DNA sequence: AAAACGGGGTG
DNA sequence: CACCCAGTTTT
């Protein structure tokens, strides 16, 4: 028995029943793979179903607005994934006649699609013998072959990609890749792997040496940088003042209550008042702090305070800001903790 | 090669 | 609280 045969025997008895495994539609595989990047399966399930109710085909998604797409992505994180997916399906409509290409290299040219996702789509939707090396595969192979290189480094990834190519079966590469996902999710898990249930222990070098708990090796990430912010909640005639973040960078294109970064020991409320006047031409009187949140991103930590403000006077707003009623707060995608305040103020349905 | 890019679950 | 998750793009 080969590694692939042992793995597939196990997979055909134990495969998870997942919403995106109902058929091999390349668009559906694509959406699921993008949602699953750095995101847990359990979280993706509901988003995926909601998404397919609204955007059941590639053509329907291609016609949607970016704001609506971002709204459906709200809470999933890494929002560039949604923007890339939208531009990607539009590209497929225009350049490939609405059919997702079947060649891994061609698929990888689509925005938001890297080596992993291209391999996953090609192997699962089209049965092409392409590897799909994700976190699960890195973990499983680092244990199988006792590789102690940092799996965050490209050298280690190249080494594992090479090993995969020696084991991927040409008949059913998609099942092989998905079997590795399931093995990594259910058996060869990050901490305390369930080796007694594993179909590959007879091949596993780490198991033989009893070092499976020490692998894979991953360098520890540095602590996120602390950013102190102050945000203004301005109410005028039943509507709230909101603005859109810039097109690039963190939470690009998402909406927020006007906010500033508080540097050193500046007086937050004074700077906030100046910002509203300088940037939005609104005169306000800052009242009491209404809420305070600590919000940690992968690389940054926000300490953000929301201040209730009384509107005094102001010009009409220009392009990137507007007044929204409480019920309209649910119509825009929100930036991080601003979503919690929008929920508080509006009637946005809890997901 | 390293940093940017989100949010939530888990032990 | 540290760590992790079906990674990709930019620097």
């Amino acid at each position: 028995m080969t590694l692939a045969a042992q793995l597939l025997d196990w997979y055909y008895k134990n495969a998870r029943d997942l919403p995106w495994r109902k058929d091999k539609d390349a668009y559906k595989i694509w959406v699921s793979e993008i949602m699953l990047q750095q995101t847990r399966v359990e979280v993706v399930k509901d988003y995926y179903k909601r998404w397919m109710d609204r955007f059941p085909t590639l053509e329907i998604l291609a016609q949607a607005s970016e704001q609506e797409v971002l709204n459906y992505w709200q809470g999933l994180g890494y929002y560039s994934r949604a923007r890339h997916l939208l531009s990607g399906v539009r590209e497929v409509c225009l350049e490939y006649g609405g059919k997702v290409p079947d060649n891994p290299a061609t698929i990888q040219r689509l925005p938001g699609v890297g080596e992993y996702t291209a391999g996953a789509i090609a192997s699962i939707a089209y049965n092409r013998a392409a590897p799909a090396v994700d976190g699960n595969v890195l973990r499983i192979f680092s244990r199988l072959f006792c590789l102690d290189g940092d799996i965050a480094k490209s050298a280690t990834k190249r080494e594992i990609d090479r090993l995969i190519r020696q084991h991927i079966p040409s008949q059913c590469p998609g099942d092989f890749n998905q079997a590795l996902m399931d093995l990594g999710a259910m058996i060869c898990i990050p901490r305390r792997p369930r080796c007694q249930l594993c179909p590959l222990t007879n091949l596993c070098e780490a198991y033989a040496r009893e070092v499976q708990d020490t692998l894979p090796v991953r360098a520890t990430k540095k602590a996120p940088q602390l950013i102190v912010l102050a945000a203004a909640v301005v109410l005028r005639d039943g509507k709230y003042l909101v603005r859109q973040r810039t097109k690039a960078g963190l939470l690009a294109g998402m909406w927020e209550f006007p906010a500033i970064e508080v540097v050193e020991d500046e007086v937050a409320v004074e700077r906030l008042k100046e910002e509203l006047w300088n940037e939005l031409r609104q005169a306000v009187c800052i009242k009491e702090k209404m809420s305070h949140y600590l919000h940690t991103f992968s690389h940054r930590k926000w300490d953000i305070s929301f201040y209730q403000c009384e509107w005094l006077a102001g010009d009409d707003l220009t392009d990137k800001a507007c007044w929204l009623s409480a019920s309209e707060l649910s119509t825009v995608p929100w930036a991080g903790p601003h979503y919690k305040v929008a929920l508080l103020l509006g009637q946005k349905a809890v997901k």
Side-chain angles (χ1 to χ4, degrees), chain A residues 92-281:
Chain A
V92 167
C93 284
L94 294 173
E95 306 291 328
Y96 302 104
K99 183 183 181 306
V100 180
D102 62 356
N103 183 311
T106 311
I107 300 172
Q108 196 176 336
R109 286 193 222 117
L110 295 167
V113 177
E115 195 169 1
Y116 162 77
T117 304
I121 295 172
S123 65
I124 298 169
Y126 298 118
N127 234 34
R128 299 287 300 257
V133 181
D134 69 335
N136 289 304
V137 174
L138 291 172
R139 184 171 62 251
I140 292 166
F141 275 72
S142 72
R143 285 171 176 162
L144 278 173
F145 296 95
C146 254
L147 308 174
D148 61 359
D150 180 351
I151 60 168
K153 297 210 177 291
S154 44
T156 310
K157 291 178 185 170
R158 273 196 302 278
E159 166 73 359
I160 289 178
D161 187 86
R162 191 181 63 79
L163 288 168
I164 294 282
R165 288 175 193 278
Q166 295 175 3
H167 292 279
I168 190 167
S170 55
Q171 313 81 1
C172 48
D175 286 346
F176 177 78
N177 287 335
Q178 292 183 93
L180 286 172
M181 316 284 181
D182 283 11
L183 189 75
M186 299 189 284
I187 308 291
C188 199
I189 54 181
R191 279 167 297 199
R192 305 190 45 133
R194 299 165 181 157
C195 301
Q196 66 284 4
L197 301 174
C198 182
L200 304 179
T201 48
N202 63 319
L203 303 171
C204 185
E205 196 67 28
Y207 180 76
R209 299 188 197 173
E210 298 183 10
V211 295
Q212 62 274 54
D213 284 293
T214 73
L215 295 170
V217 173
R218 190 200 308 266
T220 58
K221 287 163 269 190
K222 65 173 185 182
Q225 180 196 359
L226 179 66
I227 307 282
V228 180
L229 299 163
V233 177
V234 184
L235 184 59
R236 175 195 179 185
D237 300 335
K239 295 192 171 192
Y240 294 96
L241 178 59
V242 299
R243 75 176 171 189
Q244 192 174 21
R245 293 174 63 85
T246 54
K247 202 169 176 336
L250 185 65
L251 299 163
M254 313 282 286
W255 292 76
E256 64 184 11
F257 298 96
I260 52 148
E261 182 178 342
V262 181
V263 200
E264 299 292 313
D265 33 40
E266 286 176 338
V267 182
V269 294
E270 284 309 311
R271 279 262 291 118
L272 190 53
K273 190 172 155 184
E274 284 172 27
E275 173 79 3
L276 289 166
W277 179 248
N278 293 337
E279 296 301 320
L280 302 171
R281 283 304 190 229

Side-chain angles (χ1 to χ4, degrees), chain A residues 271-346:
Chain A
R271 279 262 291 118
L272 190 53
K273 190 172 155 184
E274 284 172 27
E275 173 79 3
L276 289 166
W277 179 248
N278 293 337
E279 296 301 320
L280 302 171
R281 283 304 190 229
Q282 303 300 310
V284 304
C285 175
I286 307 212
K287 301 296 188 185
E288 72 275 22
K289 184 185 289 191
M290 54 179 289
S291 50
H292 174 242
Y293 298 98
L294 292 176
H295 186 92
T296 304
F297 300 89
S298 52
H299 56 305
R300 202 165 298 184
K301 183 173 179 177
W302 278 5
D303 173 329
I304 183 166
S305 297
F306 290 86
Y307 292 91
Q308 191 103 266
C309 299
E310 181 187 345
W311 182 81
L312 300 174
D315 295 346
D316 289 341
L317 296 168
T318 53
D319 56 344
K320 293 299 180 190
C322 67
W323 297 96
L324 291 183
S325 68
S327 59
E328 288 171 328
L329 294 179
S330 65
T331 64
V332 299
W334 289 94
H338 292 264
Y339 181 52
K340 296 188 175 117
V341 176
L343 278 177
L344 228 57
L345 301 173

